[in-house]
Amino acid sequence: MLAAMRDMINPDVVIHYDTAKKQLKLKEDAADSKVAELYIEHIPADALAFTLDYQPKKDKQKYKQLSLYVKSTNDVGVNKGCDLIILWQDAEQQRALVFDLKSDRLKPKDNQKQLDNSELFLKYLLSMAAVHYGINVDSIEIDKAIVTTNARNVRKRTTYQPNDEAALVGNYKVESVVANSSRTASISFRQLTRGAANG
């Protein structure tokens, strides 16, 4: 699956990470964001990370919607894409994480739409990989998570505890982080997924 997806995904949207440190840096460019850089620790080996929220300075208009075949003015939710998708192999299990970073107060209904829409888009890409590369993607396990700087209604926790469940809203996890004075924060990849193995 990973080789096929690497062959398919536009290199412009791929997010490269430090494989030695197993650390991915996610940048948030919005001026009002409380987190400018989120470090995701313990990224599995050979993972593929890419964004559905690609906003280049040039051709920004071109990437206003998730697909050029969908009206950019549609406000029902079909154009909503997440900050990050990570694909990896966990022993025999193919896995994916659909992820978004939210600084402001969570809007559960809107967040659910954004994560679900991103999952649908990922499944579309996977189905293309199945047809054109002859791989089986039926059993892929997809986790969805949001990290927020607003800890209200989210249980606070400073260290990762394997047996402690994150807050669940709808069908996604919600974890909170605290940004330091330079607007950076970090979280363990394991906190965002159900039982992710250390790659």
Side-chain angles (χ1 to χ4, degrees), residues 1 14 37 41 56 60 74 76-77 79 81 83 87 95 110 131 140-142 144-146 163 165 182 194 198:
M1 170 194 69
V14 171
E37 294 178 345
E41 313 286 347
K60 198 169 196 172
N74 179 291
V76 175
N79 282 315
D83 291 325
L87 301 170
R95 309 259 324 254
D110 290 345
V131 168
I140 188 164
E141 186 178 309
I142 300 174
K144 294 184 262 193
I146 282 181
N163 298 322
E165 287 298 313
S182 59
R194 291 187 287 270
N198 186 12

Side-chain angles (χ1 to χ4, degrees), residues 120-139:
L120 287 170
F121 195 74
L122 171 61
K123 285 180 174 178
Y124 162 69
L125 294 173
L126 290 167
S127 66
M128 285 183 59
V131 168
H132 295 289
Y133 292 84
I135 58 172
N136 181 4
V137 295
D138 293 338
S139 62

Side-chain angles (χ1 to χ4, degrees), residues 4-193:
M5 293 296 281
R6 280 192 178 95
D7 201 40
M8 282 175 48
I9 299 296
N10 182 339
D12 292 343
V13 304
V14 171
I15 299 174
H16 299 282
Y17 64 97
D18 188 326
T19 52
K21 291 183 180 177
K22 298 182 181 178
Q23 180 187 74
L24 184 146
K25 179 170 71 173
L26 185 66
K27 291 183 179 180
E28 183 60 66
D29 294 330
D32 59 346
S33 176
K34 292 176 184 166
V35 176
E37 294 178 345
L38 177 70
Y39 289 90
I40 303 175
E41 313 286 347
H42 312 113
I43 297 287
D46 299 321
L48 170 63
F50 61 97
T51 184
L52 294 183
D53 190 26
Y54 182 56
Q55 295 291 318
K57 287 180 174 60
K58 189 181 175 187
D59 291 334
K60 198 169 196 172
Q61 196 67 19
K62 195 178 180 181
Y63 291 92
K64 261 175 64 177
Q65 68 263 48
L66 206 47
S67 169
L68 292 172
Y69 286 93
V70 177
K71 286 197 305 196
S72 63
T73 54
N74 179 291
D75 61 357
V76 175
V78 296
N79 282 315
K80 293 193 172 291
C82 285
D83 291 325
L84 182 65
I85 290 182
I86 299 176
L87 301 170
W88 77 102
Q89 188 79 26
D90 190 356
E92 297 300 311
Q93 181 65 53
Q94 296 175 4
R95 309 259 324 254
L97 171 67
V98 177
F99 168 85
D100 207 66
L101 174 63
K102 299 286 183 195
S103 287
D104 302 324
R105 192 158 30 109
L106 294 176
K107 299 174 183 170
K109 193 175 174 184
D110 290 345
N111 300 152
Q112 188 71 63
K113 274 187 180 180
Q114 186 175 9
L115 290 164
D116 288 348
N117 198 53
S118 298
E119 179 183 13
L120 287 170
F121 195 74
L122 171 61
K123 285 180 174 178
Y124 162 69
L125 294 173
L126 290 167
S127 66
M128 285 183 59
V131 168
H132 295 289
Y133 292 84
I135 58 172
N136 181 4
V137 295
D138 293 338
S139 62
I140 188 164
E141 186 178 309
I142 300 174
D143 291 318
K144 294 184 262 193
I146 282 181
V147 166
T148 179
T149 54
N150 188 329
R152 193 178 306 156
N153 299 327
V154 180
R155 203 176 322 145
K156 291 183 182 177
R157 184 166 70 245
T158 54
T159 57
Y160 169 65
Q161 297 166 347
N163 298 322
D164 194 5
E165 287 298 313
L168 267 178
V169 180
N171 64 358
Y172 60 92
K173 278 186 173 186
V174 178
E175 292 282 356
S176 65
V177 293
V178 177
N180 63 23
S181 58
S182 59
R183 293 174 59 216
T184 65
S186 66
I187 193 162
S188 172
F189 180 74
R190 299 174 196 138
Q191 284 175 256
L192 305 173
T193 61

